[in-house]
Amino acid sequence: MSHPQVTFKDTTFTGKTLLSARRATVSSKTLQTQLDQLKSTGRYDCFKLKWHPIYDDKSMWPVPFHLFWDSDVAKWIEGACYFLSENYDAGLDAAVQELVEMIRGAQQEDGYLNVHYTVVEPTKRWSNLRDMHELYNAGHLIEAAVAHYLYYKNEQLKAPVEKYISLIRKRFGTADGQVRGYPGHPEIELALLRYATVTGSSEAYELAHYFLTERGNPEGQDGKHYYDWETEQRGESRWMRPDAFPTNRTYWNCQAHLPITEQTTVEGHSVRAMYLLTAVADLVCLSDSGDKPLGEEARKSWTNALDQLWNNMVDKRMYVTGGIGAIKQWEGFGIDYFLPQGTDEGGCYAETCASIAVMMLAERMLHVDLDGHYGDILELCLYNNVMTSMSTDGTKFTYVNQLASSDKDKSERSDWFWCACCPPNLTRLYGSIGGYLWDYGPGDGGAYVNVHLYSSAQVSFAVGDENSVNLHQESNWPWEGKIRFRLSSTKPVDTTLRLRVPAWAQGSYEISPEAPEPTSLKIEKGYLILPPVYTSKNPEFSLEIKNFAPRYLSPHPYSMQHVLALARGPIVYCVEDIDNDWETNHFKDITITTDSRITEERKEDTETGESYIALHSNGWTRSVPNCGGGARSSVDRDLTFVPYYFRSNRGGRGQMRVGLVNGGSVIGTVFPERGYTG
Amino acid sequence: MSHPQVTFKDTTFTGKTLLSARRATVSSKTLQTQLDQLKSTGRYDCFKLKWHPIYDDKSMWPVPFHLFWDSDVAKWIEGACYFLSENYDAGLDAAVQELVEMIRGAQQEDGYLNVHYTVVEPTKRWSNLRDMHELYNAGHLIEAAVAHYLYYKNEQLKAPVEKYISLIRKRFGTADGQVRGYPGHPEIELALLRYATVTGSSEAYELAHYFLTERGNPEGQDGKHYYDWETEQRGESRWMRPDAFPTNRTYWNCQAHLPITEQTTVEGHSVRAMYLLTAVADLVCLSDSGDKPLGEEARKSWTNALDQLWNNMVDKRMYVTGGIGAIKQWEGFGIDYFLPQGTDEGGCYAETCASIAVMMLAERMLHVDLDGHYGDILELCLYNNVMTSMSTDGTKFTYVNQLASSDKDKSERSDWFWCACCPPNLTRLYGSIGGYLWDYGPGDGGAYVNVHLYSSAQVSFAVGDENSVNLHQESNWPWEGKIRFRLSSTKPVDTTLRLRVPAWAQGSYEISPEAPEPTSLKIEKGYLILPPVYTSKNPEFSLEIKNFAPRYLSPHPYSMQHVLALARGPIVYCVEDIDNDWETNHFKDITITTDSRITEERKEDTETGESYIALHSNGWTRSVPNCGGGARSSVDRDLTFVPYYFRSNRGGRGQMRVGLVNGGSVIGTVFPERGYTG
């Protein structure tokens, strides 16, 4: 039982794929760009505990501009450690070491380690868990410490973090003298569980378990909800609240309206929800692996909650791009089926971090229940909502990923954000993405590899003391469905492979060499199972996933989005004004039908260096009634579509749209595509 | 220049129409029912200034349950005065007189007259204009005083109100020693202007003019926005705010984000917006009539604002039922084209009072600019969003008027509301509705009558000292388009009639006797003009408005509502489970197309005593994809439609919908229907 942030080291990317190109860009460009941002904004030095002018800025409440700086630094360290092992860079190495020195120096005698509450409000530690990201920042320090420990193989960051965990553990819990708090922004829970797995720390596991169990307790502290209690302790009225709280006490914003196991719909801030559920799933993983058994009843109630919340999210609250969160105010979920494409239709947030966190959750869910649906969603997020959030040159980013631009919110990127969670999150994701491709190990009476993502890469892992298995895959994914596999091992071992057949392939694949009795190969819950009898006879084989023809996707009819989006394989497409330069109204009136002809064109964009498949089709600009009489007339249009991830890389006027008006009554494949009845 | 609340006395309803039936119910039943509610809830006695147990309830902030009691009483008095003149009732008369006695007794020495700030928080007068409805309550007292004065012809209520106005005028204004406040909930402005017109009070006019001019001043008080200033005076953080404020300082909620003349979109609480604009329109009316000239520049900037805000509302923020306000949180407007039909689609508020206020505004706009479009909207509101808000027996009400029910918000009525603004608002509207039918007077070189609404009624008015004109109309409106007119006068007078031809009639009418040269009759801006040459020759004539066949309406495509609603004449229809008893999903999946056949059926509902025209058509229950695979199959359905105003009168399970899924790509007539290019 391990985590992608640990196992990624077993995987080497080989050959040039879309994924390896992005990784190379992050390694060669993004890490340095982000380091420069850390330096120029004051973040790099923040652990020196000197006063920074921005600390005087009181215009925001309760969260000041600098509150997440600790985490920005920590996430960059984490990402750098992932890349250093594969592509050493002395400058980055030195920066990590200097940062770690500063962090060590910032730790207080008792172990406390937080910039804001050491420098700006030193008397107010732990006074506002709901809003002040104190435990969130701690979580990212813990994640950084794990990455640092595994790369540097020393305790320079692990040691202070361990001390900090002990301090936190001492304060929070159910024992006498402890208070019953938990973070407003979950993150530390998943960090603690990974830390516990890597280091064996019981304290970390117990603290995470406590945070997850206590959350949403209506009378945890002195008979009160913890957040009510701490509000009273601060002497604040409950009517005084952050702008992200639409009304008073809307604790669903941080998933604390009910104990987790009683929640049935996924609510509030979407990154918080996903980080939280990732930890819950990991709790179940740790139980299933025998490391930390939960007991049958407890396991059941946690997995029930996971299933309900996951299904609610995917079936009713996710965009076709893998984006989640329709509402800007709380950066989170709207009601079921409320999925407007952009600001002028009622919202669309689809934060980069949220989809990264969906990937993290999906990866954990694959361990709880090996079901290709989780792999499908993981891949959907990766190639669409996540990949779209960085420019092809690795230097510009999006935080919000709308499906349609508007005059108010154009399709464009930024160098950085005051709340800079997304850019370094991309860095650490791409750094550890190898760990998401597959999981594997001894088992199934020999060895197994469950392949979740296709690319060109190889993985090696030990089976017993003296044997090691190596699986190599080579493909032009996501453009073509053919993947060549090469399996080898030091000594013979019965190896079972499970290869994901995405739902959009509708079970259609070809394998070569064919199995002696082809019917003996089965797809189970989205995975084609190659038993040892096949793999031993065919250590080299190729799989071809079929059904790469462009297809139309529709959001669920209850979303009131009578639109069609184009997809090809895992890639969702959009139209941009750079290719369709007659457009002036954000493609709001562009209408297509499912029977219009689609052609493909392989493109090499010289400016960006990107190769991709563009799609061409046609439709028309619908005539829209002008109130006050009259109507624009309808105009036929040739349309060029590019991958959504590729948007906003080539200039233009920032006009873009994924779902175009459906001019007919027939709808496409209703999203989400599921390959089987679950 | 006069107001419908004053002129209604000139009109007598004759014969039985839908409108006169409702008026009879309100007169015979609703007034007494509401009086009983006032008594049983504590409102009736509140001006005795005794402590009521509910005053101890601190669960709401800043608005306690009883804050609007003054206005509930005032609105009932106003409504009672309207009906007493036509249908005297000794019990109601006695109640009015007793209430007025209590109000007189509640006035403080200095003229102050408010229950909450006399009994509950006597030291905090005028400390929170933004939230505390102090001036709103004053406004309703003023309206009651006007009605009382005109009916009783004594000063029993007018005198204390006059004293209160003076007190308010002393406090608020731009002079030294005055503060620059204005009400969070507009209402007093329109009340003051009516008071000024009826009594000639310059003080009242000037106070209203000041409130309208000062509103939204970013630095009115000590260089600050007044609401910021008073927040500071209270020692409150700007982060402490009512639940109706989505984020801090969202003063658009009360239309105070900008000076009125700089506002270009209609924002926030919809009743506030409409009351405010009604006053603005009246300011222009008073200028145009020569009573209170504004000067050309000022008139232009007020009318520009009126035009922009009206058009924004009608074209982009109004439901096909005449409802306004999509958002529950602030009981008000969403962004352009955001018009979900019900809670499970993202909201729909469509408050009764808001549509009543649209009628008030539309009536004023007809004086600013005689344009049938305003009459169309006035009528749309009356027969749909307003009329649907009371049961046929006059005893149960709705506050919110959604276009589709959901499990969370069924289509059902209540006896009363803690915030009881809507029921007595209906009473006073039906009491004065005669004043909305037409406007008239000497003019156009003789006399004129502009007929806005059809019914069976007659109006008499003086022309000069010795002549009076009488116009009688008789029809079975809104079911049939034929209206018989009879015009007479004491002495001959050149009379011009202007008769509204609704936009949905598409200019189609028949007049009999025909004009000698039919082409000489013209429709100008929605009004068929009958010049003296016609009316003198044909004092009895009939007009037939054509195009009563049922038609399909569609919301604007940008609303993302791919639905069709049925309408017939001014009546919008809905489906209810009582007629379509197989329905279990709130008609969410019922699909129709514009080519399905529609038949009409005249119905006399024995239980409710209502006659109406039901519509029958057919469609199907669409098959909706179940996430996780599978789909329900589609089922053909016969459908019965009833007028939306008639919903929720005959039991059933509270399932109802106006707009049904459009199964085709063709849309109906896009709402709003406008008869000409404006």
Side-chain angles (χ1 to χ4, degrees):
Chain A
M1 176 55 244
S2 196
H3 298 85
Q5 296 87 347
V6 176
T7 61
F8 77 92
K9 292 186 311 297
D10 302 337
T11 294
T12 314
F13 283 86
T14 60
K16 201 185 165 187
T17 58
L18 176 56
L19 205 50
S20 65
R22 282 291 178 282
R23 296 190 76 250
T25 302
V26 174
S27 180
S28 66
K29 201 71 180 280
T30 311
L31 269 166
Q32 186 61 49
T33 302
Q34 295 183 346
L35 179 60
D36 295 343
Q37 288 286 355
L38 294 182
K39 287 186 172 169
S40 66
T41 57
R43 286 162 168 86
Y44 188 85
D45 290 330
C46 72
F47 282 102
K48 283 188 178 159
L49 306 182
K50 293 199 176 123
W51 194 265
H52 190 281
I54 207 168
Y55 300 165
D56 291 316
D57 189 324
K58 308 288 184 212
S59 63
M60 307 241 298
W61 179 89
V63 171
F65 288 102
H66 61 275
L67 196 71
F68 325 102
W69 282 11
D70 312 41
S71 70
D72 297 335
V73 167
K75 280 154 90 173
W76 185 86
I77 292 174
E78 186 187 344
C81 288
Y82 296 153
F83 278 106
L84 279 170
S85 62
E86 125 179 19
N87 193 10
Y88 181 75
D89 178 295
L92 298 178
D93 176 17
V96 172
Q97 300 214 37
E98 187 175 36
L99 283 168
V100 168
E101 267 320 296
M102 290 190 278
I103 293 171
R104 290 172 60 86
Q107 185 159 43
Q108 303 299 292
E109 200 125 317
D110 61 354
Y112 190 76
L113 189 40
N114 176 288
V115 173
H116 177 83
Y117 285 113
T118 304
V119 180
V120 186
E121 296 194 292
T123 62
K124 296 197 175 163
R125 277 188 198 179
W126 312 125
S127 62
N128 187 348
L129 297 189
R130 189 189 72 187
D131 304 320
M132 292 299 277
H133 293 71
E134 211 167 358
L135 291 168
Y136 168 86
N137 280 325
H140 279 299
L141 282 174
I142 296 165
E143 287 197 274
V146 173
H148 181 276
Y149 171 69
L150 291 173
Y151 174 65
Y152 286 96
K153 305 203 169 25
N154 68 37
E155 306 252 333
Q156 291 298 97
L157 190 53
K158 178 171 169 277
V161 159
E162 188 166 293
K163 193 173 174 190
Y164 192 19
I165 293 172
S166 293
L167 180 78
I168 297 169
R169 179 64 185 136
K170 215 183 291 171
R171 181 168 181 90
F172 298 106
T174 57
D176 275 359
Q178 288 182 308
V179 294
R180 303 279 282 260
Y182 43 85
H185 195 314
E187 146 62 28
I188 193 172
E189 300 86 342
L190 74 85
L192 286 165
L193 292 178
R194 181 145 21 102
Y195 186 89
T197 308
V198 169
T199 68
S201 160
S202 293
E203 193 170 44
Y205 177 85
E206 281 156 20
L207 181 55
H209 186 273
Y210 156 75
F211 281 143
L212 295 173
T213 313
E214 183 62 21
R215 190 170 202 85
N217 185 342
E219 38 195 34
Q221 184 71 41
D222 297 356
K224 294 172 184 168
H225 191 290
Y226 183 81
Y227 295 154
D228 287 338
W229 177 83
E230 66 164 19
T231 300
E232 288 175 23
Q233 295 291 306
R234 291 195 301 275
E236 257 171 45
S237 158
R238 72 176 164 113
W239 306 97
M240 183 159 164
R241 60 186 192 276
D243 273 354
F245 277 39
T247 61
N248 81 88
R249 294 187 79 254
T250 38
Y251 296 154
W252 48 256
N253 183 31
C254 33
Q255 299 81 43
H257 54 307
L258 285 172
I260 298 168
T261 52
E262 294 174 25
Q263 297 179 23
T264 55
T265 54
V266 65
E267 301 295 345
H269 192 276
S270 49
V271 181
R272 298 180 195 214
M274 291 304 99
Y275 282 176
L276 182 66
L277 295 183
T278 299
V280 172
D282 208 17
L283 202 68
V284 175
C285 289
L286 288 168
S287 173
D288 293 353
S289 67
D291 290 350
K292 298 283 183 183
L294 288 166
E296 201 177 322
E297 272 307 295
R299 184 191 184 280
K300 197 172 153 190
S301 66
W302 289 115
T303 52
N304 273 351
L306 284 170
D307 288 345
Q308 289 217 43
L309 299 173
W310 173 275
N311 287 329
N312 176 245
M313 172 175 76
V314 172
D315 293 343
K316 301 180 180 174
R317 300 184 179 193
M318 180 177 268
Y319 287 96
V320 298
T321 53
I324 55 172
I327 311 291
K328 180 179 184 175
Q329 185 178 359
W330 52 87
E331 302 181 305
F333 297 100
I335 59 173
D336 286 351
Y337 301 115
F338 187 80
L339 295 164
Q341 292 194 87
T343 301
D344 64 349
E345 292 172 6
C348 177
Y349 206 68
E351 185 180 338
T352 303
C353 287
S355 287
I356 289 175
V358 173
M359 291 178 64
M360 293 167 69
L361 172 57
E363 192 278 338
R364 290 292 86 186
M365 291 305 289
L366 284 165
H367 291 270
V368 174
D369 173 20
L370 184 69
D371 183 329
H373 166 65
Y374 298 113
D376 288 355
I377 296 296
L378 194 163
E379 181 172 55
L380 177 79
C381 291
L382 171 60
Y383 283 112
N384 298 287
N385 199 74
V386 172
M387 195 172 280
T388 201
S389 66
M390 187 178 78
S391 61
T392 54
D393 69 359
T395 64
K396 287 174 178 287
F397 309 93
T398 54
Y399 190 115
V400 172
N401 300 288
Q402 299 198 329
L403 276 70
S405 59
S406 57
D407 285 346
K408 203 165 174 186
D409 286 308
K410 293 188 178 151
S411 175
E412 56 195 9
R413 302 184 199 285
S414 305
D415 291 331
W416 196 245
F417 308 95
W418 73 262
C419 172
C421 49
C422 300
N425 224 352
L426 282 167
T427 305
R428 58 186 200 134
L429 176 79
Y430 280 120
S432 59
I433 194 72
Y436 290 79
L437 299 191
W438 28 37
D439 71 88
Y440 44 81
D444 291 320
Y448 74 92
V449 185
N450 303 326
V451 184
H452 310 309
L453 295 175
Y454 300 115
S455 189
S456 290
Q458 67 180 350
V459 64
S460 296
F461 58 97
V463 180
D465 288 342
E466 297 176 9
N467 200 358
S468 95
V469 170
N470 182 297
L471 181 66
H472 185 257
Q473 59 163 309
E474 196 185 339
S475 72
N476 187 26
W477 200 271
W479 307 116
E480 291 168 35
K482 186 144 186 177
I483 311 112
R484 282 182 200 78
F485 285 94
R486 204 167 56 239
L487 179 68
S488 61
S489 55
T490 329
K491 300 179 190 172
V493 56
D494 279 357
T495 305
T496 302
L497 298 183
R498 296 185 190 83
L499 311 174
R500 185 172 60 90
V501 181
W504 47 261
Q506 298 182 353
S508 182
Y509 71 92
E510 213 172 279
I511 193 151
S512 163
E514 281 191 16
E517 302 158 50
T519 52
S520 72
L521 295 187
K522 277 189 307 186
I523 295 180
E524 266 180 29
K525 297 190 358 182
Y527 282 85
L528 172 66
I529 301 170
L530 301 183
V533 62
Y534 181 92
T535 57
S536 58
K537 197 173 286 175
N538 305 292
E540 296 196 23
F541 64 92
S542 70
L543 168 72
E544 184 165 4
I545 302 288
K546 303 284 195 174
N547 214 17
F548 262 77
R551 64 195 191 282
Y552 289 101
L553 293 183
S554 287
H556 192 281
Y558 289 173
S559 73
M560 306 300 288
Q561 300 279 332
H562 194 58
V563 298
L564 292 169
L566 268 177
R568 184 185 180 282
I571 304 293
V572 176
Y573 281 75
C574 69
V575 282
E576 286 198 292
D577 65 85
I578 190 88
D579 300 305
N580 307 278
D581 62 3
W582 34 263
E583 180 58 33
T584 57
N585 193 26
H586 302 276
F587 301 94
K588 230 176 148 65
D589 297 320
I590 302 302
T591 308
I592 56 175
T593 58
T594 49
D595 51 10
S596 48
R597 207 172 78 89
I598 306 166
T599 58
E600 303 187 355
E601 182 190 7
R602 255 160 227 282
K603 283 226 184 188
E604 314 277 331
D605 190 69
T606 47
E607 199 186 328
T608 60
E610 290 278 300
S611 317
Y612 60 94
I613 292 177
L615 302 177
H616 299 284
S617 186
N618 51 68
W620 66 93
T621 302
R622 67 176 164 184
S623 94
V624 168
N626 281 336
C627 296
R632 277 183 272 145
S633 58
S634 128
V635 182
D636 286 341
R637 294 294 186 194
D638 289 325
L639 298 166
T640 296
F641 296 78
V642 297
Y644 174 65
Y645 73 71
F646 188 49
R647 73 181 166 110
S648 192
N649 269 306
R650 299 166 295 162
R653 290 170 279 111
Q655 305 221 348
M656 183 277 305
R657 185 167 299 256
V658 171
L660 303 179
V661 174
N662 180 354
S665 60
V666 181
I667 54 181
T669 306
V670 170
F671 181 83
E673 298 167 284
R674 292 212 184 200
Y676 65 95
T677 307
Chain B
M1 177 54 242
S2 196
H3 297 86
Q5 296 89 347
V6 176
T7 61
F8 76 93
K9 291 187 311 298
D10 302 337
T11 294
T12 315
F13 282 85
T14 61
K16 202 187 163 184
T17 58
L18 176 56
L19 204 49
S20 65
R22 281 292 178 281
R23 295 190 76 250
T25 301
V26 175
S27 180
S28 65
K29 201 72 181 281
T30 311
L31 269 167
Q32 185 62 50
T33 301
Q34 294 183 348
L35 179 60
D36 295 343
Q37 288 287 355
L38 294 182
K39 287 186 172 168
S40 66
T41 55
R43 285 162 168 86
Y44 189 84
D45 290 328
C46 71
F47 282 101
K48 284 188 179 159
L49 306 182
K50 293 200 176 122
W51 194 266
H52 188 283
I54 208 169
Y55 299 165
D56 291 317
D57 189 324
K58 308 287 184 213
S59 63
M60 306 241 299
W61 178 88
V63 171
F65 288 102
H66 61 275
L67 196 71
F68 324 103
W69 282 11
D70 312 41
S71 71
D72 297 336
V73 167
K75 279 154 90 174
W76 185 85
I77 291 174
E78 185 187 344
C81 289
Y82 296 152
F83 278 107
L84 278 170
S85 63
E86 127 180 17
N87 193 11
Y88 181 75
D89 178 294
L92 299 178
D93 176 17
V96 172
Q97 300 214 38
E98 186 174 38
L99 283 168
V100 168
E101 267 321 296
M102 290 189 279
I103 293 170
R104 290 171 62 85
Q107 187 160 42
Q108 303 299 293
E109 200 125 315
D110 61 356
Y112 190 76
L113 189 43
N114 177 288
V115 173
H116 177 83
Y117 284 113
T118 304
V119 180
V120 185
E121 295 194 294
T123 62
K124 297 196 175 165
R125 277 187 198 181
W126 313 124
S127 63
N128 187 348
L129 296 189
R130 189 189 73 188
D131 304 319
M132 292 301 276
H133 292 72
E134 212 167 355
L135 291 168
Y136 167 87
N137 280 325
H140 279 298
L141 282 175
I142 296 166
E143 287 197 273
V146 174
H148 181 276
Y149 171 68
L150 292 172
Y151 174 64
Y152 285 97
K153 306 199 168 27
N154 67 38
E155 307 251 334
Q156 291 298 99
L157 190 53
K158 178 171 169 279
V161 159
E162 189 165 291
K163 192 171 174 190
Y164 192 21
I165 292 172
S166 293
L167 179 78
I168 297 169
R169 180 63 185 136
K170 215 180 296 169
R171 181 169 182 87
F172 299 106
T174 56
D176 275 359
Q178 287 182 309
V179 294
R180 303 280 281 260
Y182 43 85
H185 195 314
E187 145 64 27
I188 193 171
E189 300 86 343
L190 73 86
L192 286 166
L193 292 179
R194 180 143 23 100
Y195 186 88
T197 308
V198 169
T199 67
S201 160
S202 293
E203 192 169 46
Y205 176 85
E206 281 155 20
L207 182 55
H209 186 273
Y210 155 75
F211 281 145
L212 294 173
T213 313
E214 182 63 21
R215 190 171 203 86
N217 185 341
E219 38 196 33
Q221 183 71 40
D222 297 356
K224 293 173 185 169
H225 192 289
Y226 183 80
Y227 295 154
D228 286 337
W229 177 84
E230 66 164 18
T231 300
E232 288 174 23
Q233 295 291 308
R234 291 194 301 275
E236 258 172 43
S237 159
R238 72 176 163 114
W239 306 97
M240 184 162 164
R241 61 185 191 276
D243 273 355
F245 277 39
T247 60
N248 81 89
R249 294 187 79 253
T250 37
Y251 296 153
W252 48 257
N253 183 30
C254 34
Q255 297 82 43
H257 54 308
L258 285 171
I260 297 169
T261 52
E262 294 174 25
Q263 297 180 23
T264 56
T265 54
V266 65
E267 301 295 345
H269 192 276
S270 49
V271 180
R272 299 181 194 212
M274 293 302 100
Y275 283 175
L276 182 66
L277 295 184
T278 299
V280 172
D282 207 17
L283 202 68
V284 176
C285 289
L286 288 168
S287 173
D288 293 353
S289 67
D291 291 350
K292 299 282 182 184
L294 288 166
E296 200 177 322
E297 272 307 295
R299 184 192 185 280
K300 197 172 155 192
S301 67
W302 290 115
T303 53
N304 273 352
L306 283 171
D307 288 346
Q308 289 217 44
L309 299 173
W310 172 275
N311 287 330
N312 177 244
M313 172 176 76
V314 171
D315 292 343
K316 301 180 180 174
R317 301 186 180 191
M318 180 177 267
Y319 287 97
V320 297
T321 53
I324 54 172
I327 310 291
K328 181 178 183 175
Q329 184 177 0
W330 54 87
E331 302 181 306
F333 297 100
I335 60 172
D336 286 352
Y337 301 114
F338 187 80
L339 295 164
Q341 292 195 84
T343 301
D344 65 350
E345 292 172 6
C348 178
Y349 205 69
E351 185 181 336
T352 302
C353 287
S355 287
I356 289 175
V358 173
M359 292 178 63
M360 293 166 68
L361 172 57
E363 193 279 335
R364 290 292 85 187
M365 292 304 289
L366 284 165
H367 291 270
V368 174
D369 175 20
L370 184 69
D371 183 328
H373 167 65
Y374 298 114
D376 289 355
I377 297 296
L378 194 163
E379 181 171 56
L380 177 80
C381 291
L382 171 61
Y383 283 111
N384 298 288
N385 200 74
V386 172
M387 195 172 278
T388 201
S389 66
M390 187 178 78
S391 60
T392 54
D393 69 0
T395 64
K396 285 173 179 291
F397 308 93
T398 52
Y399 190 113
V400 172
N401 300 289
Q402 300 197 328
L403 277 70
S405 59
S406 57
D407 286 346
K408 203 165 173 187
D409 286 308
K410 293 188 176 151
S411 175
E412 56 194 10
R413 300 184 198 285
S414 305
D415 291 331
W416 196 243
F417 308 96
W418 74 262
C419 172
C421 49
C422 300
N425 224 352
L426 282 168
T427 305
R428 59 187 199 133
L429 176 79
Y430 280 120
S432 59
I433 193 73
Y436 290 80
L437 299 191
W438 29 38
D439 71 88
Y440 44 80
D444 291 320
Y448 73 91
V449 186
N450 302 328
V451 184
H452 310 307
L453 295 175
Y454 300 114
S455 188
S456 290
Q458 66 181 348
V459 65
S460 296
F461 58 96
V463 180
D465 287 341
E466 295 176 10
N467 199 358
S468 95
V469 170
N470 183 298
L471 180 67
H472 185 257
Q473 60 162 308
E474 196 185 339
S475 73
N476 186 27
W477 199 270
W479 307 116
E480 291 168 34
K482 185 146 187 176
I483 311 114
R484 283 182 198 80
F485 286 94
R486 205 166 54 238
L487 179 69
S488 61
S489 55
T490 329
K491 299 180 189 170
V493 56
D494 278 356
T495 305
T496 302
L497 299 182
R498 296 185 190 82
L499 311 174
R500 184 173 61 89
V501 181
W504 47 261
Q506 298 182 355
S508 182
Y509 71 92
E510 213 174 280
I511 194 150
S512 161
E514 281 191 18
E517 303 157 49
T519 51
S520 71
L521 295 187
K522 278 191 304 187
I523 296 179
E524 267 179 28
K525 294 184 10 176
Y527 283 85
L528 173 66
I529 302 170
L530 302 182
V533 62
Y534 181 91
T535 57
S536 59
K537 196 174 282 175
N538 305 292
E540 296 196 23
F541 65 93
S542 70
L543 168 72
E544 183 165 2
I545 302 289
K546 302 284 195 175
N547 214 17
F548 262 77
R551 65 196 190 281
Y552 289 100
L553 294 183
S554 288
H556 192 281
Y558 288 173
S559 73
M560 306 299 289
Q561 301 279 331
H562 194 59
V563 299
L564 292 169
L566 268 177
R568 184 185 181 282
I571 304 293
V572 176
Y573 281 75
C574 69
V575 282
E576 286 197 292
D577 64 84
I578 190 90
D579 299 306
N580 307 280
D581 63 2
W582 34 262
E583 181 57 33
T584 56
N585 194 26
H586 301 276
F587 300 95
K588 227 174 151 65
D589 297 321
I590 301 302
T591 308
I592 56 176
T593 59
T594 50
D595 52 9
S596 47
R597 209 172 76 90
I598 305 166
T599 58
E600 302 188 354
E601 183 191 4
R602 257 162 224 283
K603 283 228 182 186
E604 313 277 332
D605 189 69
T606 47
E607 200 187 329
T608 59
E610 289 279 299
S611 317
Y612 60 93
I613 292 177
L615 302 178
H616 300 284
S617 186
N618 50 66
W620 66 92
T621 303
R622 68 176 163 183
S623 97
V624 167
N626 280 335
C627 296
R632 277 184 272 144
S633 57
S634 126
V635 182
D636 287 341
R637 294 293 185 193
D638 289 326
L639 298 167
T640 296
F641 297 77
V642 298
Y644 175 63
Y645 73 70
F646 189 50
R647 74 181 165 110
S648 192
N649 269 307
R650 299 166 296 161
R653 289 170 281 110
Q655 306 222 347
M656 183 277 303
R657 186 168 297 257
V658 171
L660 303 179
V661 174
N662 181 354
S665 60
V666 181
I667 55 180
T669 307
V670 170
F671 181 84
E673 298 166 284
R674 292 213 184 199
Y676 65 94
T677 305

